[in-house]
Amino acid sequence: MSFTMRLYVHQYILLLSVLAHCDVCFKCSFESSCECTLNTTINLISAKCSGRGLLAIPYFCNSSILLDSFDGSYNKIERIPNYIFRSAKNLRHLDLSHNSISLLLPESFQGLEELVTLNLESNSLKYNIDIIPPDCFKSTPQLRYLNLKSNVGYYSSTQKYPSLSSLSELEILKLDGLPRDSFDRGFNELSKLTYMDLSSKDCDIGIIQSRFFQYTPNLRYIDISHCKVTKVWKNTFSGLKNLTYLNVSYNENLKFDGIENITYDLQFTSIEVLKFNKVHETFAMNSEIGRHTLKYLQHTKLRELHMDSNRLQNVKSGVVSMLPKTLNRLSMADNMLTFGQYILEGRNMNISVLNVSFQFTSHNPVLESTDRYESNFKAKRIKRAFRVNFPLPFPTNLREVHSRGSQLQFDIPRLELMENRLEYYDASLNLLSHWRGPLLNFLHLKFLNLSSNYCSNISSYFFKGTEKLEKLHINNNLLGFSIQFDVDGQILKPLKSLQIIDFSQNRIPFLPPLFFAFLERLEVLKLYDNLFEDIDFRLTQMKNLSLIDLSRNRIQFLGYVAIGQLESVARDHMLSLDLSENPFICSCASLKFLKWMTETKVILLNRENYSCKYENGTKTLLLNVNNIYNKLKKDCSSYPVIIIGITGAIFVSVSIVCFGLFYRYRWKLRYIFYMTKNRFRGYVPVIDHANKTYLYDAFISYAEQDCGFVHNDVIKNLEGEGNLKLCLHKRDFLPGNEIAANITSAIHNSRKTVVILSPHYLASNWCRFEFNMAKMESMYTRENENILFMVFLTNVPPRELPLMMMEFIDSNSYIEYPDDEFGNVVFWQKMLEAVSA
C-alpha cells in the first residue's frame, strides 16, 4: 500500500472516530420546521420545536421511537389529542410550556410510559376535573417532575388542586397555590413527593390552615413565596419531619407576627434553610424583630436564615443569642438597620456568611402601597470622620461579609478586628471617600471590594494588615488624583500575595514606574476606562501576569519601553492584552507599534475591533496590519530629510531672532544682570529715590589719561569749593570687587553721572561701559530722569562718536571746557548747578 493510500485510510478512521462521539443535527421527519439532534452516544433523538409557531402537536410517525425529548414550548398549541404520543414510546422529557392548551383528555399522554419530566407551565389549564381529568396521567407511571404553574388565571377561588394519585413516582411538583383549599387524601399516594413549589404570579393562598400539608408528609422543600399569604396557623408545618427548606418570602401582609407560628412549627422539623424576605410592606413603618419571633429556632439545626427587605431597623436585645449555633449564613439585606446592642451580641455567633447590603435603599413607589407613615425614629448612621482606637468585636468564624450599597458615609479610619477568620468583604457602592487605615489584623482576608465609593484619597499604609489579600477590586473611584504621587509603590507594598487587581474607571492619567513594584505574583491587571496614554509603570517583575486590560484609555500607540516590557513578560508564558477602544493613530510615529502588532507573541484581545486614524482624519480597521505598516513605511521614508531641513531652518531663524534681540537689548541685559548681582551680594545699599538721598552727588566717568584734569581741577572746584561729594574710581571703588560691580554700584548710588569726554574716553571700553550703564540707570531705575551730564574736555569730531552717544548729545544739553581764565569761572558755576540740580 502506497504512502498516500495509508494516509487516506488513517484520515478516514480518524473521521469515523470523531463522528462516533459527536451529535448529528438534521430536520425532524415529523415536522420540517423542527430541529432534531441525534446523540450518538445513547442513540436517541432530541427535538427542538420551541418558538416555531406550531398550532398543533406534530404527528409522530413510527420513526419517532428513538425520540428522547420534545421541546414544543412557546408555540400556539391549544390541545393535546388522545394517543398523539403513542409512537413516541421512549420519550422521557416533554416541554409544552407557554402555549394555549386549555384541555387535557384522558388519553392525551397514552404511550408515554417512560416519561420522566412534563412541563405544562403558562397555559390555560384551569384546575378542575373537566379540564384536567383525574385519570389523564395514568399512562405516565414514571413521571418524576410535573410543572402546572401559571395556569389558574384570575378566578382561582373556584378551582381545586388536580388529582395526581396515579403519579406514585412523582418527586417534584410545581402548582399554583389556591385559596381555601388543601391537598386531598389522594396526595397520600405520592410517597416520593419531596419538592413542592406553589409560588407564581397566579398564587393566592391567603390563610394556610393546619391541614394544608396533612397528606404530603414527606416534603423536604416548600416554596410558598409570592402567594399573598396573610396568616399561617400553628401546626401547619409541624408534621413535616423531613422539611429542610421553607420559603415564605414576598407575602407582605404576613409580617413578623405571622412568622412566629411558622418558627414554632419548625422546631419539630429538620429545617435547614428559612426565607421570609419582604414580609413587610415596603412603605410601612420601620420594624423591629423581637424574641417571640425567632425564639423557637434555637431548637432547630438551621443553617441559613434570610430576612431581607423587611424595613427592619432594630433587633431587640437577646434575639441574636437565641439563634441556633448551627446557623452558617445570615442575610438581612435591603433593610433599615441601625447600630445597636445586637451588633455586640453577634460576637458569639458561629455564622460564616453575613449579608447586610443595600441598607436604606430607595424603592419605586409606583407599584407599592403608600397608605402608611414612616417611622419618626431617626436612623443612627455613621457619617464622616470617626475614630476607632480599640479592636472591634467580630464573630470568630465569620468568613464572608457583604455590605454593598448600604450608604456607609465616612472616611475609613484605623480599623483593628479581634480574632477573626474574615476572607471576603464587599463594601462597594457606598460613600467611603477617604481610606486612611491601616486595616489591622485582617490576617485571612483574600477578597476585598471597595469599588464605587467616590474615594479620591488613599494613605500609603492603608493595606498594612492585609498581607494575604489575593483579589482587590477598587474600580470606579477617583484614585487617579492621589495614587500618581506614590513614586515608591508604598500603597500596594504589603500586598505581596495579590493575584487580581482592578483599578479601572479611576481617571488615572499615569502611574509611577514603581507603583506595582512589589506585586510579583499578580496575574490579572485591570486598568480599563482610565486616561492612560502609554505603559509607563514597570511590569517585568510580574512573572505570573496573564492579562492586562487597558481598553477604553487614550493610548495612540505604545512606546519602546512598553513594548519591551510586554515582550519580556510574554517570553516565558502566555500574556493577553486588551487595547480595544483606544484612539490608535496610523502615522510615522506609530510605525514601531504597528510592526510590533504583526510580530508579537502577546495575545491581543478583541483585535478584530482595533482601528486607527490617519493624519487626514480617515479611520481604518487594523485587520491587516501588515499592509498598513508597509504603506506607512513607504510614505514615511522621505520624512527624515524634510524634518531635518525644517528643523534646521527653524533653528537658524530662532537663532537670528534671539541674537538680534540680545544685541538690541545688550546694555539693558547687562545692567539688569549687574544690578541683580550687586543686590544679591549686598553691594548696593537701599537708596530712597523718592527723597533724592544718595551716597554721592556725582560719579565722575573719565579716561585714565585725563586723570590730571579730574584730580587737579574737578575735585578742587566741585568738592573743595562746591562742597559736593564725588565718586572717583581710583579713590572710592572697593578693592577686591569686580570692576563692573563697582561701576554699576557707583552710578546707582550717585545723583548724577558726569562724563569727561575726550578721544581717550572713546578709546576706553570701561568708559563706554560706564556711559551705557548710566543711561540704563536713567531709563529703568530713575523713571527716565536724565542723570547723565556730558563735558567735552577737548574737541571731538562727530564722526568719531558712537551712534548711541551721538543720539544722546543731539537730544540733551552738554558743556565744553573753555580752558581760559574767564571762561573757567562760568564753566565751574554751570558744572556746580548741573550736578546739584
Side-chain angles (χ1 to χ4, degrees):
M1 185 183 293
S2 66
F3 173 77
T4 305
M5 182 63 68
R6 287 199 302 270
L7 181 61
Y8 285 150
V9 171
H10 176 74
Q11 291 176 344
Y12 179 72
I13 295 173
L14 181 61
L15 178 61
L16 288 178
S17 64
V18 171
L19 290 175
H21 295 86
C22 290
D23 294 341
V24 180
C25 298
F26 53 91
K27 288 186 177 181
C28 299
S29 59
F30 51 80
E31 176 59 53
S32 60
S33 64
C34 297
E35 181 182 287
C36 282
T37 303
L38 173 63
N39 188 327
T40 55
T41 304
I42 59 176
N43 201 32
L44 291 175
I45 297 173
S46 298
K48 185 172 180 58
C49 301
S50 177
R52 299 303 202 273
L54 300 182
L55 300 177
I57 298 175
Y59 173 73
F60 296 102
C61 54
N62 292 331
S63 61
S64 301
I65 194 171
L66 297 178
L67 194 63
D68 177 66
S69 68
F70 178 77
D71 182 1
S73 60
Y74 293 95
N75 285 294
K76 302 175 182 179
I77 300 171
E78 296 182 354
R79 55 193 297 269
I80 305 177
N82 286 328
Y83 309 109
I84 189 67
F85 296 109
R86 61 185 173 185
S87 296
K89 293 184 177 181
N90 288 310
L91 190 66
R92 298 173 66 245
H93 306 285
L94 176 59
D95 187 352
L96 293 173
S97 61
H98 300 277
N99 278 282
S100 301
I101 301 172
S102 59
L103 178 64
L104 297 181
L105 300 175
E107 306 298 334
S108 289
F109 303 107
Q110 177 65 36
L112 297 180
E113 286 81 5
E114 302 297 326
L115 192 66
V116 176
T117 66
L118 175 59
N119 189 352
L120 294 171
E121 182 181 354
S122 296
N123 280 284
S124 300
L125 293 169
K126 301 297 184 287
Y127 291 180
N128 58 61
I129 59 175
D130 295 327
I131 304 299
I132 305 178
D135 55 350
C136 68
F137 296 111
K138 65 180 184 297
S139 300
T140 58
Q142 302 298 322
L143 194 65
R144 294 182 176 89
Y145 173 95
L146 175 61
N147 188 349
L148 288 169
K149 291 175 67 172
S150 302
N151 273 286
V152 299
Y154 295 104
Y155 304 103
S156 58
S157 59
T158 61
Q159 302 179 47
K160 297 183 71 67
Y161 293 115
S163 176
L164 304 174
S165 58
S166 60
L167 301 176
S168 58
E169 298 294 322
L170 192 65
E171 298 174 0
I172 299 174
L173 176 60
K174 296 185 178 183
L175 296 170
D176 295 325
L178 301 177
R180 297 187 296 277
D181 192 19
S182 57
F183 300 104
D184 59 26
R185 188 179 297 272
F187 277 81
N188 230 349
E189 303 297 326
L190 308 183
S191 58
K192 296 184 179 180
L193 183 63
T194 59
Y195 185 110
M196 181 175 288
D197 182 0
L198 301 179
S199 64
S200 72
K201 63 182 180 64
D202 296 329
C203 182
D204 186 8
I205 296 177
I207 298 176
I208 301 180
Q209 299 180 4
S210 56
R211 66 176 184 272
F212 192 84
F213 296 106
Q214 180 179 357
Y215 298 111
T216 56
N218 298 318
L219 287 178
R220 294 176 178 271
Y221 180 106
I222 297 177
D223 187 350
I224 51 175
S225 60
H226 298 277
C227 282
K228 303 181 182 66
V229 177
T230 58
K231 185 177 181 179
V232 179
W233 287 15
K234 273 189 178 181
N235 298 319
T236 297
F237 302 103
S238 58
L240 305 177
K241 306 301 182 182
N242 299 320
L243 184 64
T244 59
Y245 179 99
L246 176 61
N247 188 355
V248 294
S249 302
Y250 298 95
N251 294 295
E252 298 185 23
N253 294 316
L254 189 59
K255 299 184 170 51
F256 287 151
D257 292 337
I259 298 298
E260 183 178 354
N261 285 348
I262 296 175
T263 57
Y264 172 82
D265 287 354
L266 293 180
Q267 62 182 323
F268 305 109
T269 68
S270 302
I271 193 68
E272 294 181 358
V273 180
L274 173 60
K275 296 183 179 181
F276 53 93
N277 303 325
K278 204 175 178 60
V279 294
H280 273 265
E281 294 180 7
T282 300
F283 293 95
M285 292 190 297
N286 291 351
S287 64
E288 67 176 3
I289 193 165
R291 297 184 181 185
H292 63 280
T293 305
L294 301 179
K295 65 181 179 180
Y296 300 108
L297 292 179
Q298 61 185 321
H299 305 302
T300 68
K301 294 183 179 180
L302 192 68
R303 293 189 299 105
E304 293 186 23
L305 178 60
H306 299 259
M307 41 186 175
D308 306 338
S309 306
N310 281 307
R311 294 197 65 84
L312 183 59
Q313 181 172 303
N314 184 43
V315 179
K316 284 190 174 182
S317 179
V319 172
V320 174
S321 59
M322 286 182 172
L323 294 175
K325 299 299 181 182
T326 56
L327 191 63
N328 180 63
R329 182 184 294 266
L330 176 61
S331 181
M332 304 172 72
D334 190 22
N335 280 296
M336 311 290 285
L337 289 173
T338 57
F339 290 84
Q341 181 68 26
Y342 66 94
I343 296 178
L344 297 178
E345 294 178 3
R347 170 76 174 86
N348 299 318
M349 296 181 69
N350 288 325
I351 59 172
S352 61
V353 180
L354 174 64
N355 183 9
V356 288
S357 298
F358 302 109
Q359 302 298 312
F360 306 97
T361 301
S362 298
H363 293 269
N364 189 347
V366 175
L367 300 177
E368 303 283 356
S369 172
T370 57
D371 58 353
R372 297 287 192 272
Y373 292 97
E374 292 289 338
S375 170
N376 292 323
F377 186 83
K378 186 99 172 164
K380 299 177 182 177
R381 284 181 270 174
I382 291 182
K383 291 189 177 183
R384 286 299 134 223
F386 75 99
R387 301 179 65 183
V388 181
N389 295 320
F390 54 88
L392 294 174
F394 202 79
T396 306
N397 295 320
L398 188 57
R399 287 174 168 80
E400 187 173 324
V401 177
H402 300 261
S403 61
R404 64 194 312 256
S406 293
Q407 297 194 32
L408 301 177
Q409 303 175 28
F410 54 85
D411 301 338
I412 301 179
R414 176 187 181 275
L415 284 180
E416 181 178 0
L417 299 183
M418 290 184 178
E419 181 185 357
N420 68 91
R421 293 182 176 85
L422 185 64
E423 298 178 359
Y424 182 109
Y425 183 48
D426 184 353
S428 58
L429 293 169
N430 286 292
L431 292 170
L432 308 173
S433 59
H434 191 161
W435 304 341
R436 301 180 187 277
L439 304 179
L440 300 177
N441 204 28
F442 287 76
L443 301 179
H444 303 279
L445 191 65
K446 295 182 179 180
F447 179 98
L448 178 61
N449 188 350
L450 291 172
S451 58
S452 303
N453 268 290
Y454 297 95
C455 178
S456 59
N457 202 341
I458 179 173
S459 69
S460 59
Y461 47 82
F462 179 73
F463 295 110
K464 184 178 179 182
T466 61
E467 286 79 5
K468 291 188 178 180
L469 196 64
E470 296 178 356
K471 299 178 182 179
L472 176 61
H473 296 267
I474 48 180
N475 50 294
N476 196 22
N477 282 291
L478 300 170
L479 294 174
F481 297 113
S482 60
I483 61 175
Q484 56 184 305
F485 301 108
D486 182 22
V487 295
D488 299 323
Q490 294 300 311
I491 293 177
L492 301 178
K493 184 177 180 180
L495 308 181
K496 295 182 180 179
S497 299
L498 201 64
Q499 298 173 7
I500 298 174
I501 189 169
D502 190 346
F503 261 112
S504 57
Q505 297 175 311
N506 266 291
R507 300 189 63 81
I508 306 173
F510 68 92
L511 288 174
L514 300 179
F515 186 74
F516 298 114
F518 301 97
L519 304 187
E520 297 181 359
R521 298 184 182 179
L522 196 68
E523 298 177 8
V524 177
L525 176 58
K526 295 183 179 181
L527 297 168
Y528 65 86
D529 203 2
N530 278 295
L531 307 174
F532 288 103
E533 296 182 358
D534 203 348
I535 302 177
D536 298 319
F537 46 88
R538 201 172 78 186
L539 296 172
T540 51
Q541 77 281 3
M542 304 178 190
K543 303 302 181 183
N544 300 322
L545 191 62
S546 60
L547 171 64
I548 306 175
D549 190 345
L550 278 165
S551 58
R552 299 179 65 185
N553 276 277
R554 297 182 177 180
I555 299 173
Q556 295 184 333
F557 59 88
L558 294 179
Y560 298 136
V561 175
I563 289 174
Q565 289 198 90
L566 292 172
E567 289 300 311
S568 177
V569 174
R571 188 175 296 119
D572 301 324
H573 63 278
M574 186 172 64
L575 174 65
S576 299
L577 175 65
D578 192 347
L579 293 173
S580 57
E581 297 186 64
N582 275 289
F584 295 137
I585 60 172
C586 286
S587 67
C588 299
S590 62
L591 270 178
K592 176 75 174 180
F593 171 63
L594 295 174
K595 183 180 181 182
W596 171 77
M597 288 182 65
T598 65
E599 302 173 345
T600 184
K601 294 181 180 179
V602 178
I603 300 173
L604 298 177
L605 302 177
N606 302 311
R607 182 171 177 173
E608 65 278 4
N609 297 323
Y610 291 7
S611 64
C612 71
K613 187 176 183 179
Y614 288 101
E615 292 178 347
N616 61 7
T618 60
K619 284 187 175 182
T620 183
L621 287 174
L622 292 174
L623 296 176
N624 195 331
V625 185
N626 267 322
N627 290 346
I628 297 173
Y629 169 74
N630 292 329
K631 182 178 181 299
L632 277 175
K633 185 178 179 181
K634 182 178 179 181
D635 294 341
C636 296
S637 59
S638 59
Y639 278 17
V641 176
I642 298 174
I643 292 173
I644 292 172
I646 294 175
T647 304
I650 292 173
F651 177 77
V652 171
S653 302
V654 171
S655 299
I656 292 173
V657 171
C658 292
F659 179 78
L661 292 172
F662 181 80
Y663 181 80
R664 179 176 180 180
Y665 296 104
R666 63 191 184 282
W667 290 111
K668 178 180 178 180
L669 294 172
R670 294 177 74 179
Y671 171 76
I672 294 172
F673 170 74
Y674 285 115
M675 286 302 297
T676 303
K677 188 175 181 181
N678 289 346
R679 286 192 175 92
F680 178 74
R681 294 188 177 182
Y683 297 161
V684 180
V686 179
I687 301 299
D688 189 358
H689 295 290
N691 296 326
K692 308 294 184 179
T693 57
Y694 297 91
L695 295 179
Y696 304 102
D697 292 301
F699 168 66
I700 308 301
S701 176
Y702 63 95
E704 187 63 32
Q705 292 84 348
D706 301 323
C707 64
F709 169 72
V710 174
H711 294 164
N712 297 329
D713 296 324
V714 174
I715 293 177
K716 174 185 174 182
N717 289 282
L718 297 184
E719 275 195 342
E721 298 180 3
N723 200 25
L724 299 177
K725 186 176 181 180
L726 305 179
C727 179
L728 306 175
H729 68 263
K730 276 196 172 183
R731 184 185 68 185
D732 299 305
F733 279 11
L734 293 175
N737 287 354
E738 297 180 14
I739 297 175
N742 273 322
I743 292 173
T744 53
S745 179
I747 293 172
H748 183 71
N749 294 329
S750 302
R751 179 180 291 106
K752 299 286 184 179
T753 297
V754 178
V755 175
I756 309 300
L757 192 61
S758 68
H760 303 298
Y761 189 94
L762 297 176
S764 171
N765 291 331
W766 285 117
C767 288
R768 289 201 302 274
F769 179 80
E770 290 171 351
F771 171 81
N772 283 294
M773 289 299 103
K775 190 174 179 183
M776 295 301 107
E777 172 79 13
S778 175
M779 293 171 61
Y780 300 109
T781 302
R782 308 288 179 90
E783 298 179 353
N784 287 321
E785 176 190 354
N786 184 20
I787 65 169
L788 265 172
F789 183 65
M790 302 286 291
V791 176
F792 277 76
L793 183 61
T794 60
N795 187 29
V796 179
R799 65 177 180 274
E800 296 182 8
L801 293 173
L803 180 59
M804 289 184 65
M805 194 174 290
M806 190 66 189
E807 290 177 351
F808 180 82
I809 293 172
D810 287 342
S811 57
N812 293 278
S813 300
Y814 62 91
I815 189 171
E816 296 181 355
Y817 181 64
D819 198 16
D820 62 73
E821 184 177 350
F822 177 77
N824 284 354
V825 174
V826 177
F827 172 80
W828 292 116
Q829 288 178 353
K830 295 293 184 182
M831 280 282 288
L832 189 61
E833 292 174 1
V835 173
S836 301

